[in-house]
Amino acid sequence: MENPHETQLRTFNYLIGKAANTEWGKRYNYKGINSPAQYRKEVPLNEYDDLEPYIKRMMNGSFNILWPGFVNWYAKSSGTTSSKSKFIPVPKENLRGCHIKGSWDVVTLLYKGRSDARIFERKNLVMSGSLSNYEGNHMTTYGDISAIMLYNMPIVGRPFYTPDFRTALLPDWDEKIEKMVQICSREQVTMFGGVPSWTIVLFRKILEATGKDNMLEVWPDVQAYVHGGVGFEPYRSQFERFIPSDDFTYQEVYNASEGYFAIQNDLESNDLLLLLDNCVYYEFLPMSEFEQDDARTIGLEEVELDVNYAMVISTNAGLWRYMTGDTIKFTSLSPFKIRITGRTKHFINVFGEEVMVSNTDKALAKTCDEFNVKVSDYTVAPIYIKEGTKGGHEWLIEFLKPPADLGQFSKRLDESLQEVNSDYEAKRFKSMALENLTVESLPTNTFYKWMEKRGKLGGQNKVPRLSNNRKYVEDILSFLKDDNGH
């Protein structure tokens, strides 16, 4: 925090020096790179698709490719343009120096915010995913980054974790939740973490099994919830009903498969402290230049307040000038603090499903082909979880040739989306977190008239395919109701 630029330069030199003899390092002459400016000039910006051929070879046993040695751990998540899942390498240096170090930072800053924290006196619960063996190479294991971190948890933390590791890593979510209800409802939990939608599922089942009114009656000494990955505001009121306490802490973190990037260090502010010594070298691309061929990234020393930047990272996971897809704004330059502002592409990630436009386009095209249906335009928004209900996605579709059975079309569209996005598939498992998507057929020219009303007609203006809130969907439905589309 006190020496940000020196810290980032030290991180840069470590990464370039360490990878100099890898295949990637030799290709871009890392031994000849002496400064961040030269690095930006010599090495191109990359998305996952650019690195995927290298990663596939690594998973199949090749070594010294993007990072020295053989990498046998891979964090699985969704969101690529051409693959159902992406696999992010997690070398041991990255696991220890970024992800686990980030977890220690969370604990440190939580204790700084409330000195009465009792993390190392009672139990802590984290909703994790599961692990699988890679079919192409029995030495390679992949799974959620949460599962990889749990499996490799430092020994000092293991006595304070619930449930047992075998239960926590079960691949069957139905079985996992049921066993967690039995085990965790009897523990004295002081802190918990996880994606809000799955945490809500667990809480509802615990209250149903115990007959209690809220989680304070189950865990009277619970103190904190660490959350990240999706926007928390739609869930806050529900959590306040689950835990009706004025002495309860919500701490936001910015962690992803690609790295542990930022943590809320002041519990009275929503800003996130950028972690500069977690083996991540940062660059920032102004969104005003994002689509330009000559777009220029800048380093930490050039960033300004309240400018929307796409975040670019280089890490000891072998991700080089990698565009995360996230956009941020700086809210403080001393120390450097940020807020996540969105994604470089339209997306829905209210429930941790990471649905991208490429996913919905592919799923819709496949379903239309099967049903001999044609679509003019569409938009999708989340359906928020409310008391006694589950979440989901609402599709507004303008058909050129509608399906004979809209219900069957909706069901198959949901299945198609699961086939192209593993995170959505996980959230839809037995409808535990998300219900089947819903489709509303719109009258002809609805989108055109709506765009006309907003003054958004023209070649550069497009119907927003996906939104992480209900602004567009509610506006379209209101437009139809009030003006009958005229």
Side-chain angles (χ1 to χ4, degrees), residues 372-377 397-403 441-442 444-445:
N372 192 25
V373 163
K374 293 183 180 179
V375 165
S376 169
D377 228 327
I397 302 179
E398 188 175 316
F399 292 95
L400 293 173
K401 182 180 180 182
S441 178
L442 301 183
T444 303
N445 290 330

Short mmCIF file of all heavy atoms in Angstrom, two decimals, residues 372-377 397-403 441-442 444-445:
data_model
loop_
_atom_site.label_atom_id
_atom_site.label_comp_id
_atom_site.label_asym_id
_atom_site.label_seq_id
_atom_site.Cartn_x
_atom_site.Cartn_y
_atom_site.Cartn_z
N ASN A 372 -37.34 -25.33 -36.11
CA ASN A 372 -37.66 -24.64 -37.37
C ASN A 372 -38.29 -23.28 -37.09
O ASN A 372 -39.36 -22.93 -37.61
CB ASN A 372 -38.59 -25.50 -38.24
CG ASN A 372 -38.71 -24.97 -39.65
OD1 ASN A 372 -37.81 -24.29 -40.14
ND2 ASN A 372 -39.83 -25.27 -40.31
N VAL A 373 -37.60 -22.52 -36.25
CA VAL A 373 -38.08 -21.21 -35.80
C VAL A 373 -37.08 -20.14 -36.24
O VAL A 373 -35.88 -20.40 -36.33
CB VAL A 373 -38.22 -21.21 -34.25
CG1 VAL A 373 -38.31 -19.80 -33.70
CG2 VAL A 373 -39.44 -22.02 -33.84
N LYS A 374 -37.58 -18.93 -36.52
CA LYS A 374 -36.71 -17.81 -36.87
C LYS A 374 -36.95 -16.67 -35.89
O LYS A 374 -38.08 -16.39 -35.50
CB LYS A 374 -36.98 -17.36 -38.30
CG LYS A 374 -36.57 -18.39 -39.35
CD LYS A 374 -36.79 -17.86 -40.75
CE LYS A 374 -36.38 -18.90 -41.80
NZ LYS A 374 -36.61 -18.40 -43.18
N VAL A 375 -35.84 -16.01 -35.51
CA VAL A 375 -35.90 -14.94 -34.51
C VAL A 375 -35.40 -13.64 -35.11
O VAL A 375 -34.40 -13.61 -35.83
CB VAL A 375 -35.05 -15.32 -33.27
CG1 VAL A 375 -34.80 -14.10 -32.39
CG2 VAL A 375 -35.73 -16.41 -32.48
N SER A 376 -36.11 -12.55 -34.81
CA SER A 376 -35.69 -11.22 -35.25
C SER A 376 -34.69 -10.62 -34.27
O SER A 376 -33.63 -10.13 -34.66
CB SER A 376 -36.91 -10.31 -35.38
OG SER A 376 -36.52 -8.96 -35.57
N ASP A 377 -35.03 -10.64 -32.98
CA ASP A 377 -34.15 -10.06 -31.97
C ASP A 377 -34.55 -10.60 -30.60
O ASP A 377 -35.63 -11.18 -30.43
CB ASP A 377 -34.26 -8.54 -31.96
CG ASP A 377 -32.89 -7.87 -31.96
OD1 ASP A 377 -31.96 -8.44 -31.35
OD2 ASP A 377 -32.75 -6.78 -32.55
N ILE A 397 -38.29 -12.38 -26.68
CA ILE A 397 -37.90 -12.73 -28.04
C ILE A 397 -38.95 -12.25 -29.04
O ILE A 397 -40.15 -12.45 -28.84
CB ILE A 397 -37.72 -14.26 -28.19
CG1 ILE A 397 -36.67 -14.78 -27.21
CG2 ILE A 397 -37.31 -14.61 -29.62
CD1 ILE A 397 -36.46 -16.29 -27.28
N GLU A 398 -38.47 -11.62 -30.10
CA GLU A 398 -39.34 -11.23 -31.21
C GLU A 398 -39.12 -12.24 -32.33
O GLU A 398 -38.05 -12.30 -32.94
CB GLU A 398 -39.00 -9.82 -31.68
CG GLU A 398 -39.98 -9.26 -32.70
CD GLU A 398 -39.66 -7.82 -33.03
OE1 GLU A 398 -39.38 -7.04 -32.10
OE2 GLU A 398 -39.67 -7.48 -34.22
N PHE A 399 -40.14 -13.08 -32.57
CA PHE A 399 -40.01 -14.15 -33.55
C PHE A 399 -40.45 -13.67 -34.95
O PHE A 399 -41.44 -12.95 -35.07
CB PHE A 399 -40.89 -15.36 -33.16
CG PHE A 399 -40.43 -16.08 -31.93
CD1 PHE A 399 -40.98 -15.79 -30.69
CD2 PHE A 399 -39.45 -17.06 -32.03
CE1 PHE A 399 -40.57 -16.47 -29.56
CE2 PHE A 399 -39.04 -17.75 -30.90
CZ PHE A 399 -39.59 -17.45 -29.66
N LEU A 400 -39.72 -14.09 -35.96
CA LEU A 400 -40.19 -13.96 -37.34
C LEU A 400 -41.09 -15.13 -37.68
O LEU A 400 -42.06 -14.99 -38.43
CB LEU A 400 -38.99 -13.90 -38.29
CG LEU A 400 -38.10 -12.66 -38.19
CD1 LEU A 400 -36.87 -12.83 -39.07
CD2 LEU A 400 -38.88 -11.41 -38.59
N LYS A 401 -40.73 -16.29 -37.11
CA LYS A 401 -41.53 -17.50 -37.28
C LYS A 401 -41.58 -18.17 -35.91
O LYS A 401 -40.64 -18.81 -35.49
CB LYS A 401 -40.89 -18.43 -38.31
CG LYS A 401 -41.68 -19.69 -38.58
CD LYS A 401 -40.96 -20.56 -39.62
CE LYS A 401 -41.75 -21.83 -39.89
NZ LYS A 401 -41.03 -22.72 -40.86
N PRO A 402 -42.69 -18.00 -35.16
CA PRO A 402 -42.74 -18.49 -33.78
C PRO A 402 -42.88 -20.00 -33.69
O PRO A 402 -43.34 -20.65 -34.63
CB PRO A 402 -43.98 -17.79 -33.21
CG PRO A 402 -44.84 -17.56 -34.40
CD PRO A 402 -43.92 -17.30 -35.56
N PRO A 403 -42.52 -20.57 -32.54
CA PRO A 403 -42.68 -22.01 -32.33
C PRO A 403 -44.14 -22.36 -32.09
O PRO A 403 -44.91 -21.55 -31.59
CB PRO A 403 -41.84 -22.29 -31.08
CG PRO A 403 -41.86 -20.99 -30.33
CD PRO A 403 -41.89 -19.91 -31.37
N SER A 441 -42.96 -14.03 -25.91
CA SER A 441 -42.96 -13.69 -27.33
C SER A 441 -43.49 -12.26 -27.52
O SER A 441 -44.59 -11.94 -27.05
CB SER A 441 -43.83 -14.68 -28.10
OG SER A 441 -43.88 -14.34 -29.48
N LEU A 442 -42.70 -11.42 -28.17
CA LEU A 442 -43.07 -10.02 -28.35
C LEU A 442 -43.73 -9.80 -29.72
O LEU A 442 -43.40 -10.48 -30.69
CB LEU A 442 -41.83 -9.13 -28.25
CG LEU A 442 -41.04 -9.18 -26.94
CD1 LEU A 442 -39.90 -8.18 -26.99
CD2 LEU A 442 -41.94 -8.90 -25.74
N THR A 444 -44.52 -8.15 -33.39
CA THR A 444 -43.63 -7.72 -34.46
C THR A 444 -43.26 -6.24 -34.31
O THR A 444 -44.10 -5.41 -33.96
CB THR A 444 -44.30 -7.94 -35.83
OG1 THR A 444 -44.65 -9.32 -35.95
CG2 THR A 444 -43.35 -7.57 -36.96
N ASN A 445 -41.98 -5.95 -34.54
CA ASN A 445 -41.43 -4.58 -34.52
C ASN A 445 -41.33 -3.96 -33.13
O ASN A 445 -41.11 -2.75 -33.00
CB ASN A 445 -42.25 -3.64 -35.43
CG ASN A 445 -42.06 -3.94 -36.89
OD1 ASN A 445 -40.99 -4.41 -37.31
ND2 ASN A 445 -43.09 -3.69 -37.69
#
